[in-house]
Amino acid sequence: MTTPDNPPQYTPPAPGGGGDSWLSHITDWANAAGTAASAPAGGYSFEPAELESIAREWDDLAASYEFDRVSADVLARTEGPGSEYASGDNAQLVRQSGTTLLQTLQDRIDYCRSQADKFRGAAGRYAEAEADAGTEVGNQGGSL
């Protein structure tokens, strides 16, 4: 079942019971929902160049996370300003935060790279399918 682009609109009955019953409104809404649910499914369509462009955007986002790792690394190597107990504990907490931030950034970098690979793979499959279709048409004596 697909989700309609525009859900059916519900209009509550006028105050004071002037007119339609709740049941008729529920029936109208159910009929509208049924009509919307039978609408064709939406989707996206991209050309190979667009898929490559989206992949580059994912790569750019990954690069920005890699740049942020430099700052996070500074946090992960923090030392206390003094040799007293409070400074050491504070530095340890900052290092833990920095280490967590480094891992989080790495997870995001990995995700972005994975998305870029998926878009490049889709572009390759699209180009391959297009070439196969051209070969098929050529084998039948036509041209694209």
Side-chain angles (χ1 to χ4, degrees):
M1 181 174 188
T2 61
T3 304
D5 290 334
N6 295 315
Q9 296 297 315
Y10 169 74
T11 306
D20 298 333
S21 70
W22 280 100
L23 182 58
S24 68
H25 284 284
I26 291 171
T27 303
D28 291 344
W29 180 82
N31 290 336
T35 301
S38 65
Y44 296 99
S45 175
F46 297 103
E47 295 293 324
E50 292 172 310
L51 293 169
E52 288 292 336
S53 175
I54 293 169
R56 281 191 301 276
E57 288 180 32
W58 279 110
D59 285 335
D60 291 346
L61 184 57
S64 71
Y65 284 135
E66 287 171 349
F67 180 78
D68 292 341
R69 281 183 52 92
V70 173
S71 298
D73 189 55
V74 170
L75 291 174
R77 294 182 290 114
T78 298
E79 295 295 325
S83 58
E84 76 278 356
Y85 179 76
S87 290
D89 279 355
N90 187 38
Q92 180 184 5
L93 292 173
V94 170
R95 282 193 302 273
Q96 287 173 347
S97 293
T99 301
T100 301
L101 179 57
L102 280 170
Q103 183 57 53
T104 300
L105 290 170
Q106 186 60 53
D107 291 345
R108 291 190 174 147
I109 290 166
D110 294 344
Y111 178 80
C112 290
R113 297 285 183 219
S114 172
Q115 292 301 309
D117 290 344
K118 288 177 185 179
F119 277 94
R120 284 194 182 88
R125 287 188 303 276
Y126 181 95
E128 184 178 312
E130 195 171 74
D132 290 346
T135 302
E136 178 77 22
V137 169
N139 290 342
Q140 295 178 5
S143 66
L144 288 178

